[in-house]
Amino acid sequence: MAGQTGADSQADPAAEAAYDGIRASTTDVAAIAQTTGIKPENVQQVKDHTFMQAHLLDRFVRQGIAPQVRRFHASAGIAAAWERLAAGQGTAHDLQLLRHEGAEAWFMRRHGPSFDAAHTAAHARYPWKG
């Protein structure tokens, strides 16, 4: 079964290691900002939202699964997209990830902590599947 964040709910050691590297990086935000033209503070918001912060994960409440407050499950697709962006090799699909995660973060700031609501709204405007 997919995790609440769309990533596989089973631990993926390679994706987890990639997320650890992204969390530790001090150069990725500036590199992504430079190659995409997105303001560094906006890239930082996306990084914080996607890799650093814990969220109210509530996508499966209707199926009887209790919500959790935790970081997003590590996704190999998201990690690979971030790494391509940081290396200056981002694709249009990778830019869509930035838009999607930025929209989620904005929605949560404006409308409350529900990941389910934020993801649904972000996906309607900026669909992304990794």
Side-chain angles (χ1 to χ4, degrees):
M1 175 171 131
Q4 295 213 40
T5 60
D8 191 339
S9 63
Q10 302 300 314
D12 176 348
E16 292 290 345
Y19 271 45
D20 288 343
I22 292 165
R23 289 180 184 118
S25 177
T26 59
T27 59
D28 56 345
V29 169
I32 292 169
Q34 184 175 13
T35 60
T36 64
I38 298 172
K39 293 177 182 178
E41 57 268 24
N42 292 343
V43 176
Q44 185 66 56
Q45 284 181 345
V46 170
K47 180 177 181 175
D48 291 344
H49 171 77
T50 307
F51 301 105
M52 309 296 238
Q53 298 168 344
H55 302 285
L56 175 64
L57 305 181
D58 59 345
R59 292 198 68 193
F60 301 126
V61 170
R62 289 181 292 280
Q63 289 88 355
I65 298 173
Q68 305 170 346
V69 176
R70 65 180 301 281
R71 287 180 178 164
F72 293 143
H73 293 94
S75 161
I78 290 174
W82 191 267
E83 289 168 347
R84 283 189 300 272
L85 287 161
Q89 300 169 348
T91 67
H93 187 65
D94 299 338
L95 286 172
Q96 185 76 344
L97 171 67
L98 294 179
R99 292 182 197 103
H100 175 92
E101 296 298 330
E104 271 183 13
W106 177 88
F107 190 95
M108 288 175 159
R109 285 191 309 274
R110 297 295 188 276
H111 301 287
S114 171
F115 170 69
D116 186 43
H119 178 74
T120 299
H123 190 72
R125 181 143 188 205
Y126 303 110
W128 193 87
K129 183 145 178 102

